[in-house]
Amino acid sequence: MGASFEGVWHERDLRVLDSPRLRRVSDTRPYGAVAAKRVLWETGRQVGRDGSVATTDSSVFGPVLGQLDDCHPHLRQGRNQACHVTDVTRRRLRDGLTDGWWWGTLDEVRFLSRLYDLKNLPSHDPRFATAEQDIWQHCINNPVDWAGEEDWIWTDERFGLADNDEPLLRFLAETLHPAVRTDPAEVERLHAFYNQTLVHDGYEVIAVDSISGAPVFTARTIGAGVPGVMKNLIFAADGPKPEFVLGDAINNDVLILKNEQFCLVYSQPLNISGLTWGEMIGWWRSRESLPESVPDDKVGRALYKRLWASLHSDPDRPEWLSPEQTVFRTYCELFPINETGPGRPALLPQVYLHMDPKTRKERGGKDSVLGRERMDFLLLPHGVRIAVEVDGQHHYAEGNQASPRLYSKMVAEDRALRLKGYEVYRFGGHELGLNDAPAMLRQFFAELLARQP
């Protein structure tokens, strides 16, 4: 077959192979009296009911499928997709939305455009190039085409609601957004229904912000993470300690009065994915006023350089990697800050946990009554807060003598963090200086993130 082969077969002539290497990027929809399915096989095969095989060069479709992966990670198959929501729960959610239009006061195209880049998703209708044109034609321009099938979204593989938790949870939260639904009673009813249904699979939908008094929602794992909403993420200080106060104690709004230029502040609400490298790249691009013409990998390199500047180093030994630098470099080699790892959790260095307005010198060398001031590293996958600590000798010894006092202080602070809902993992400075430290760290981070939803 040539490169122009599209693989348009009548439904009655198609038989789906039960193969883990299968990649389907479209589904069946009625166009008048004709029902057709466009299927791309990663294996480069299409099989008719009579068993005949049409072979295509998989390299023809490889670049297209790869582009879809980059733009829409939920389309990836067989890559440890999170799928804790059962088919039973998905059916309940689908049935519960039957009486109300999921797109609310918008239309299907405007609603889905809030979640997906419809211009980069394929069309099921061979007359159109994109999902945006396809959906507009059959839902808006000629709504009788899919009349009575308002639940088509649940089985359309372009949107991933049937086999992946993240797009499903984002979809549900978006149906409650003030721009989508304006009736508070309807929002309250749907919110309660979602939580009653999702609780069996370990998720809940919670309010994290508001617009003009109307709540904005996201989803999270029940019982995981820290109660409350993240508002002030102050991190990566590469100079004097920032000084901040409560600008509005009622709203818990923080103002940095001094040394703001030496730290980074991230205040955007987290979505179901937590804080990822992709979101950090977008934030850094906006913060630094970088145009869209600047590629993501270049933006990522600039962000990496700024985060690296906040890590401990020895100016007398520039070739030496400190334990903190070893952790950060290894993580970023495993999950780069570029277009290859946009969905991976961001590893943020030197994150402030609390602020004591006095320095240690001003306190006469005494510890702060608030305990640990900063976390060495913080990960925020799926609403969970994971602290990664690097322990040098000063954490457990005074001079060359082991210090039960320092050790007790350290484990007491760990207990307090865990009781608040943080996960805490510690590495000794000694083990991070060994030759096999990078391999050990790669295994640790891979196993740690594999545990997340």
Side-chain angles (χ1 to χ4, degrees), residues 3-210:
S4 61
F5 174 77
E6 289 191 287
V8 181
W9 291 48
H10 283 95
E11 174 68 16
R12 62 179 180 271
D13 292 326
L14 283 172
R15 174 167 60 85
V16 176
L17 290 179
D18 182 16
S19 169
R21 298 191 63 202
L22 171 65
R23 185 197 306 267
R24 299 173 60 190
V25 297
S26 58
D27 200 357
T28 302
R29 292 288 168 262
Y31 311 124
V34 179
K37 176 176 289 187
R38 301 175 63 198
V39 178
L40 297 180
W41 298 96
E42 187 173 22
T43 55
R45 297 186 300 170
Q46 294 189 332
V47 183
R49 173 168 293 183
D50 62 358
S52 60
V53 178
T55 303
T56 67
D57 181 359
S58 61
S59 64
V60 171
F61 303 112
V64 177
L65 295 172
Q67 184 179 14
L68 288 177
D69 277 357
D70 293 339
C71 295
H72 306 279
H74 64 274
L75 290 178
R76 299 174 185 175
Q77 301 294 323
R79 303 187 190 181
N80 297 321
Q81 290 181 324
C83 194
H84 300 285
V85 178
T86 66
D87 289 339
V88 172
T89 294
R90 293 174 198 269
R91 286 198 298 272
R92 288 173 179 167
L93 291 168
R94 177 177 174 173
D95 293 344
L97 280 173
T98 298
D99 296 336
W101 293 342
W102 44 264
W103 55 90
T105 60
L106 307 179
D107 57 50
E108 294 92 332
V109 171
R110 290 169 61 200
F111 176 87
L112 290 173
S113 293
R114 297 172 61 87
L115 297 170
Y116 305 90
D117 184 358
L118 297 182
K119 291 181 173 64
N120 277 313
L121 279 176
S123 170
H124 290 323
D125 188 331
R127 296 174 296 172
F128 304 104
T130 69
E132 180 182 58
Q133 298 167 334
D134 181 12
I135 298 168
W136 181 86
Q137 169 65 22
H138 299 290
C139 292
I140 301 172
N141 189 46
N142 196 18
V144 297
D145 283 356
W146 294 356
E149 294 188 42
E150 286 76 15
D151 60 353
W152 61 267
I153 185 71
W154 294 88
T155 56
D156 194 315
E157 294 185 1
R158 292 175 293 187
F159 305 105
L161 303 188
D163 56 4
N164 190 285
D165 291 357
E166 182 174 329
L168 171 65
L169 296 170
R170 290 184 62 196
F171 175 87
L172 296 177
E174 196 66 22
T175 65
L176 303 175
H177 194 280
V180 177
R181 277 185 165 76
T182 57
D183 183 352
E186 184 181 13
V187 171
E188 184 176 353
R189 179 187 66 80
L190 277 178
H191 182 212
F193 165 66
Y194 290 161
N195 282 341
Q196 291 167 3
T197 308
L198 291 169
V199 64
H200 305 288
D201 297 324
Y203 288 114
E204 63 181 346
V205 177
I206 62 170
V208 294
D209 203 351
S210 65

Side-chain angles (χ1 to χ4, degrees), residues 290-334:
L290 300 175
E292 291 297 326
S293 58
V294 178
D296 283 353
D297 61 342
K298 188 172 183 179
V299 178
R301 286 196 299 272
L303 175 59
Y304 177 92
K305 184 177 180 180
R306 174 59 185 84
L307 298 178
W308 181 268
S310 69
L311 302 174
H312 173 69
S313 61
D314 186 347
D316 295 329
R317 294 186 292 167
E319 74 287 350
W320 174 73
L321 284 183
S322 71
E324 288 181 3
Q325 290 173 326
T326 298
V327 170
F328 190 69
R329 172 176 287 185
T330 303
Y331 184 86
C332 291
E333 288 174 346
L334 186 62

Side-chain angles (χ1 to χ4, degrees), residues 31 133 159 178 197 214-215 218 261 340 351 364 419 431:
Y31 311 124
Q133 298 167 334
F159 305 105
T197 308
T218 190
Q261 69 271 30
T340 66
V351 180
L419 288 173
E431 66 175 326

